[in-house]
């Protein structure tokens, strides 16, 4: 049951990050299709703006789906969000370009991105909640890391397909701009159907079922829960936002902005090589992430997160300077450093963040805090870095950005409690076998 739950939760991340992988790797083509006639800089900022705008509605999606998941169940809401995400991505494949529909083309792309953002607002917080409430206390770090394994799988899958359609010789440039770029987005439809099937076959989490039995007849509304989140749980909300900030700034810096940054600062490294190098470092992250998650079960979440924050402060700028050296080896080294920093966060956050909130408000609290932080700081990373580099002329800005994120993340982590090996707040202890349950019961009786 736990394995099925992890697979069903992770498939949503595969679907979401498949879109991000495609979008990031096809940014030059999307710019040409939807911002025809604009300068390279204006078109790039416009495309990155389309990428960032979906994050503006994520908090709205979190405020809608999160409290709903606390009332009607995690499984039902996650079934809805995964199909909405897939539909938003699938629709992009059918939007005409600027040459056909003029300004209406980027507007339609904007609408599709807003649908993606709204549904994603209820996806990640729910997936974290789902896995954490199924996982035994002593293996929550390991099992939670599979959620981000799904993230990397989706990104790599999307990146590889985008790379294949853009490789020289696969199709002409005119064919790529006309219809070839649409192929990767079409694949999201079947992914969404698979995700819906997996989630519909599962029961809700044991923690939610126990909560439902205790709270039958309890009056609850979305507005009441949102008010409770900000009034009663404002401290864990702030801690969660700080931890999400450092996680997502590192994430989007590596997976979204660096492809464009390499093209402008290391022109000797072709866009194809940049894509290949990024795919390699993320594939290495896929191999290591579950081991890092298991390690956090042994030493604790906070030591691993603190290590990532320290690495950002010390190595954030050097990683960017390496990329500026303009060789394949130096670019790979810079990307590998960023991937190492990211590994400290994506292996631990899916198990650390759910422990900040009690069961009755976990889905809503996580969704609201997570998406507010992602909207303000994470998804805008590429957009703001492009603006700052262009406006100031300082190509070291991404390094300073990473350093600042590391400081904020360390402060937030300091105020977070250690959750490794402990029950989730508001939930009974969770074990893996009947023997462990008997041992735990005997220990409590003693």
């Amino acid at each position: 049951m736990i394995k099925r739950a992890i697979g069903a939760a992770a498939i949503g991340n595969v679907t979401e990050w498949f879109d991000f992988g495609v979008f990031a790797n096809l940014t030059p083509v999307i710019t040409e299709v939807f911002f025809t006639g604009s300068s390279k800089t204006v078109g790039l900022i416009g495309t990155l703006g389309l990428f960032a705008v979906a994050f503006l509605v994520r908090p709205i999606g979190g405020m809608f789906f999160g409290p709903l998941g606390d009332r009607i169940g995690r499984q039902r809401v996650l079934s809805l969000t995964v199909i909405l995400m897939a539909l938003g991505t699938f629709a992009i494949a059918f939007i005409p370009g600027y040459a056909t529909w003029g300004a209406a083309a980027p507007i339609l792309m904007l609408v599709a991105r807003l649908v993606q953002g709204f549904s994603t607002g209820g996806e990640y917080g729910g997936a974290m909640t789902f896995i954490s409430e199924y996982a035994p206390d002593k293996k929550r770090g390991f099992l939670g890391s599979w959620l981000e394994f799904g993230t990397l799988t989706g990104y790599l899958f999307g990146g590889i397909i985008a790379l294949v359609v853009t490789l020289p010789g696969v199709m002409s440039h005119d064919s790529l701009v006309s219809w070839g770029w649409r192929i990767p987005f079409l694949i999201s439809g079947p992914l969404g159907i698979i995700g819906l099937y997996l989630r519909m076959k599962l029961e809700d989490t044991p923690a939610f079922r126990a909560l439902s039995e205790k709270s039958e007849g309890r009056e609850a509304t979305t507005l009441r829960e949102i008010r409770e989140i900000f009034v009663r749980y404002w401290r864990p909300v702030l801690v969660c936002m700080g931890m999400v900030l450092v996680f997502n700034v590192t994430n989007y810096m590596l997976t979204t902005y660096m492809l464009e940054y390499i093209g402008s600062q290391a022109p000797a490294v072709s866009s194809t090589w940049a894509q290949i190098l990024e795919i390699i470092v993320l594939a290495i992250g896929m191999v290591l992430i579950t081991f890092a998650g298991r390690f956090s079960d042994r030493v604790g979440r906070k030591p691993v997160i603190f290590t990532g924050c320290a690495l950002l402060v010390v190595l954030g700028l050097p990683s960017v300077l390496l990329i500026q050296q303009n060789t394949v080896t130096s670019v790979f080294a810079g990307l590998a450093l960023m991937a190492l920093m990211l590994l400290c966060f994506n292996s631990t956050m899916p198990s650390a963040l759910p422990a900040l909130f009690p069961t009755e408000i976990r889905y809503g609290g996580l969704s609201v805090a997570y998406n507010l932080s992602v909207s303000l700081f994470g998804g805008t990373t590429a957009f703001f870095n492009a603006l700052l580099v262009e406006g100031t002329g300082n190509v070291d800005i991404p390094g300073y950005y990473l350093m600042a994120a590391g400081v904020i993340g360390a402060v937030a982590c300091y105020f977070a409690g250690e959750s490794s090996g402990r029950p989730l707040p508001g939930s009974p202890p969770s074990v893996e076998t009947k023997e462990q349950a008997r041992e735990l019961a005997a220990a409590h009786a003693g």
Side-chain angles (χ1 to χ4, degrees):
M1 179 65 74
I2 291 173
K3 291 178 181 178
R4 289 170 54 198
I6 292 169
I11 190 66
N13 263 23
V14 173
T15 305
E16 176 187 355
W17 275 86
F18 174 80
D19 164 61
F20 290 157
V22 170
F23 205 99
N25 286 273
L26 290 181
T27 294
V29 181
I30 293 173
T31 300
E32 185 174 348
V33 172
F34 289 96
F35 294 94
T36 306
S38 301
S39 68
K40 183 177 180 180
T41 300
V42 172
L44 173 60
I45 292 175
T47 302
L48 293 178
L50 284 175
F51 180 84
V53 76
F55 293 86
L56 297 179
V57 295
R58 281 184 67 158
I60 301 174
M63 292 179 187
F64 176 79
F65 289 113
L68 190 63
D70 286 325
R71 292 204 310 275
I72 69 172
R74 288 68 161 116
Q75 182 261 357
R76 292 181 183 178
V77 174
L78 285 172
S79 297
L80 177 60
T81 57
V82 72
I83 199 65
L84 281 177
M85 281 195 311
L87 287 174
T89 307
F90 188 68
I92 291 175
F94 300 95
I95 299 176
Y98 187 91
T100 304
W101 277 22
I107 291 175
L108 285 174
M109 172 68 91
L110 174 65
V111 172
R113 293 290 296 159
L114 290 175
V115 171
Q116 290 174 322
F118 180 72
S119 56
T120 303
E123 170 63 31
Y124 194 76
M128 281 192 294
T129 298
F130 199 76
I131 288 183
S132 66
E133 290 182 350
Y134 259 110
D137 296 333
K138 293 183 178 181
K139 296 183 68 174
R140 190 168 291 115
F142 169 66
L143 296 175
S145 65
W146 285 96
L147 182 63
E148 282 298 308
F149 183 89
T151 293
L152 295 174
T153 300
Y155 188 89
L156 288 177
F157 186 34
I160 290 171
I161 292 178
L163 175 63
V164 169
V165 299
T166 56
L167 281 174
V170 173
M171 64 180 69
S172 67
H173 181 73
D174 289 342
S175 297
L176 176 64
V177 173
S178 175
W179 56 269
W181 69 272
R182 303 177 187 274
I183 295 174
F185 291 101
L186 288 170
I187 297 174
S188 63
L191 282 178
I193 294 172
I194 294 171
L196 179 63
Y197 173 79
L198 290 176
R199 291 182 174 181
M200 291 295 290
K201 298 289 286 185
L202 278 176
E203 294 181 354
D204 222 313
T205 68
F208 179 78
R209 295 200 303 270
L211 176 67
S212 299
E213 293 173 1
K214 293 180 181 179
S215 58
E216 286 185 1
R218 179 173 66 94
E219 184 180 354
T221 64
T222 296
L223 291 178
R224 180 174 295 179
E225 180 167 333
I226 291 174
R227 181 179 181 277
E228 187 176 9
I229 289 169
F230 286 110
V231 173
R232 185 177 177 185
Y233 296 99
W234 62 270
R235 288 180 185 272
V237 165
L238 290 179
V239 171
C240 183
M241 289 183 66
M243 294 172 71
V244 171
L245 181 151
V246 67
F247 174 23
N248 279 272
V249 165
T250 311
N251 192 13
Y252 289 109
M253 186 72 77
L254 174 63
T255 59
T256 304
Y257 182 59
M258 277 301 109
L259 287 175
E260 298 307 315
Y261 187 80
I262 291 168
S264 61
Q265 301 305 318
V269 180
S270 67
S271 60
T272 299
W273 264 110
Q275 290 172 287
I276 292 172
L277 292 176
E278 184 160 291
I279 287 171
I280 291 173
V281 299
L282 291 178
I284 294 172
M286 281 182 67
V287 174
L288 297 177
I289 190 168
T290 58
F291 293 97
R294 189 188 296 273
F295 184 67
S296 77
D297 284 325
R298 296 176 58 187
V299 304
R301 320 281 186 240
K302 294 182 69 169
V304 179
I305 295 172
F306 269 130
T307 299
C309 294
L311 289 175
L312 282 176
V313 174
V314 175
L315 298 177
L317 182 57
S319 67
V320 172
L321 295 176
L322 279 169
I323 290 173
Q324 295 173 13
Q325 295 307 301
N326 206 16
T327 68
V328 170
T329 302
S330 66
V331 168
F332 176 77
L335 293 177
L337 280 179
M338 288 188 194
L340 175 63
M341 303 168 200
L342 178 59
L343 183 67
C344 296
F345 306 128
N346 60 10
S347 63
T348 54
M349 292 296 183
S351 53
L353 297 179
L356 294 172
F357 300 94
T359 304
E360 65 269 16
I361 207 167
R362 182 170 296 125
Y363 197 155
L366 263 179
S367 295
V368 170
Y370 188 94
N371 288 294
L372 277 174
S373 186
V374 171
S375 177
L376 293 172
F377 310 110
T380 56
T381 295
F383 180 70
F384 283 134
N385 273 270
L387 280 180
L388 289 170
V389 170
E390 179 69 21
T392 65
N394 187 346
V395 297
D396 297 335
I397 287 291
Y400 299 132
Y401 211 88
L402 290 173
M403 293 172 66
V407 172
I408 295 172
V411 172
C413 186
Y414 174 80
F415 288 101
E418 179 57 69
S419 60
S420 177
R422 303 173 185 177
L424 293 170
S427 297
S430 176
V431 295
E432 192 172 7
T433 66
K434 291 182 178 181
E435 181 181 353
Q436 292 175 359
R438 285 192 292 268
E439 291 174 357
L440 185 63
H444 277 273

